[in-house]
Amino acid sequence: MVIGVLRESDPLDSRVALTPPVVRHLVERGNTVWVASGAGNGAMYADEDYLRAGAQIGSTPADVIRHAGLLLKMSVPTPEEMALCARGTAFMAFFHLAAAEFSLFERLTEHGLTAVGYEIIETGDGRLPVLAAASEMAGQMTVPLAAHLLRSTSGGRGILLGGSPGVPPAHVVIIGAGTVGSWAARTARAAGARVTVLDADAEKLRYLMATLPNVATAFSEPESLAAAVADADVLIGAVLIAGARSPHVVTQAMVESMKPGAVVIDVSIDQGGCIETSRPTTIAEPTFVHAGIVHYCVPNLTAEMGRSASTAIAQAMLPYLSRIGADGLDAAVAALPELARGVYTYKGECVHAALARTWHVPRRDLARLITRGGASAAGQPPVR
């Protein structure tokens, strides 16, 4: 298998899809890996590191795309990158198509591309192993962000997150007790904040209480949610419905009931956001103020943690890439149901049920498309 790693399009996104140790693992097993020159710079990996791991270095995106049948990025491919791809080329990235513009889906179908979303690779027991690697980091990152945004100079309430003798700590309210929410709660509590977590899943709350006994929990229903939001100094949105747009569980009226200078961090913004007043921001301009409330809504929150995020995500992807490298993408998808659940489009055809409902387009059966394509268990995608 020939695998290509492209440089991230946003100059402030410091991640890279594969690290040199993972490249070495793939190369030692007979794969060829092309890496765009400078792709690892943000994560402090030089081209020489990739060369020592056995990779080939492409001077331009076109050089990498020309060679590879499977392309990897963290963020979505650009229109220019997709236009360079031969039909049938596969892309793996954080697509978040449930909240993306329809034009991205149109380009994937127009160019006949196979799109595999890291965020919807899902095991039989409902785990999202690749997304979890990013979510664990994102949950931890929300707390130092909140501490910074609470400063008076940031437009916040001028509150020390953990308090001090005679001064109460900030109240951090977290909506969602999944991976992001639980890691945010653990980190906020360790920083000394008063923490309340709300979720509609009683089992998640029960587990959280067992592991973090100093964190308060509440069932997420309109009255308890409104009361918690109104009392929050920091509100962290961490609601996820795999493969679907996040619902707005916190209304505009709830946000406007918050204390002036309170902080909203909507980690769900990748999937559309779970707070009605949220809208995507950028690393360059990460915040805006609505009704006196500071909002931080940067998609792909881990983009600023290039080294750590790249390592965690590449390691989470390694088992799937190893299987793809050994058997080819079609055979790997046919053999691994969790990888099949991660496919949005196959050679330009929509094969994801939730996405088909979102965009009101026909959904094709992935297994039948693969069979019709004549993939064998040991088949390899064409090497270009």
Side-chain angles (χ1 to χ4, degrees):
M1 167 68 77
V2 181
I3 300 169
V5 178
L6 295 174
R7 189 169 185 166
E8 296 306 306
S9 312
D10 184 344
L12 296 180
D13 188 339
S14 54
R15 301 170 300 174
V16 62
L18 291 184
T19 59
V22 171
V23 168
R24 180 177 293 107
H25 180 97
L26 294 170
V27 170
E28 287 175 349
R29 282 150 183 80
N31 301 287
T32 300
V33 179
W34 281 81
V35 178
S37 181
N41 287 353
M44 304 300 172
Y45 291 119
D47 288 353
E48 291 74 17
D49 297 322
Y50 286 102
L51 287 170
R52 283 193 294 271
Q56 309 292 316
I57 300 298
S59 58
T60 65
D63 196 22
V64 175
I65 292 169
R66 176 172 59 87
H67 286 94
L70 173 64
L71 294 164
L72 307 178
K73 283 186 76 175
M74 290 292 194
S75 58
V76 297
T78 65
E80 293 77 16
E81 289 166 344
M82 286 187 276
L84 289 170
C85 293
R87 297 190 72 83
T89 299
F91 250 108
M92 302 182 82
F94 284 108
F95 281 95
H96 294 290
L97 282 179
E101 297 290 336
F102 184 63
S103 58
L104 174 57
F105 173 75
E106 281 186 310
R107 290 189 185 98
L108 290 169
T109 57
E110 175 188 343
H111 295 295
L113 303 180
T114 296
V116 182
Y118 297 146
E119 71 280 2
I120 56 170
I121 295 174
E122 183 178 0
T123 62
D125 59 0
R127 291 186 304 109
L128 303 165
V130 184
L131 182 62
S135 297
E136 289 163 355
M137 294 183 58
Q140 295 179 67
M141 289 176 65
T142 58
V143 177
L145 278 172
H148 175 76
L149 295 172
L150 281 172
R151 295 179 179 182
S152 300
T153 51
S154 298
R157 290 179 54 72
I159 293 175
L160 188 64
L161 192 70
S164 63
V167 179
H171 185 196
V172 177
V173 173
I174 301 167
I175 314 300
T179 304
V180 170
S182 60
W183 276 94
R186 182 178 290 108
T187 310
R189 191 67 194 90
R194 178 165 67 97
V195 181
T196 302
V197 180
L198 297 95
D199 199 289
D201 186 333
E203 286 302 314
K204 287 183 179 179
L205 296 178
R206 187 170 289 111
Y207 177 79
L208 194 66
M209 282 196 69
T211 55
L212 295 173
N214 293 324
V215 170
T217 60
F219 190 74
S220 182
E221 48 82 26
E223 288 187 6
S224 63
L225 191 58
V229 170
D231 190 55
D233 298 303
V234 176
L235 175 64
I236 298 173
V239 175
L240 172 70
I241 300 175
R245 193 177 183 90
S246 298
H248 287 156
V249 297
V250 176
T251 66
Q252 179 174 329
M254 290 180 189
V255 172
E256 292 173 352
S257 75
M258 296 175 74
K259 294 167 281 192
V263 170
V264 165
I265 301 175
D266 195 345
V267 187
S268 301
I269 198 66
D270 290 311
Q271 295 288 111
C274 66
I275 298 165
E276 190 175 10
T277 51
S278 296
R279 56 176 170 80
T281 57
T282 65
I283 296 173
E285 296 184 15
T287 63
F288 65 92
V289 177
H290 174 86
I293 311 303
V294 180
H295 287 60
Y296 182 101
C297 308
V298 176
N300 291 317
L301 187 59
T302 62
E304 291 188 275
M305 294 294 175
R307 185 86 171 199
S308 294
S310 301
T311 300
I313 294 166
Q315 288 173 349
M317 281 299 300
L318 180 55
Y320 302 107
L321 293 173
S322 296
R323 185 63 178 267
I324 292 168
D327 298 337
L329 180 62
D330 285 2
V333 167
L336 299 175
E338 61 263 43
L339 188 58
R341 295 185 189 102
V343 182
Y344 282 116
T345 63
Y346 178 81
K347 296 182 179 179
E349 301 281 357
C350 179
V351 296
H352 191 265
L355 186 64
R357 290 192 297 269
T358 297
W359 295 122
H360 306 289
V361 297
R363 178 206 173 197
R364 303 289 297 278
D365 183 82
L366 177 60
R368 290 184 180 179
L369 289 176
I370 290 175
T371 302
R372 193 172 299 168
S376 66
Q380 294 281 347
V383 176
R384 294 183 295 278

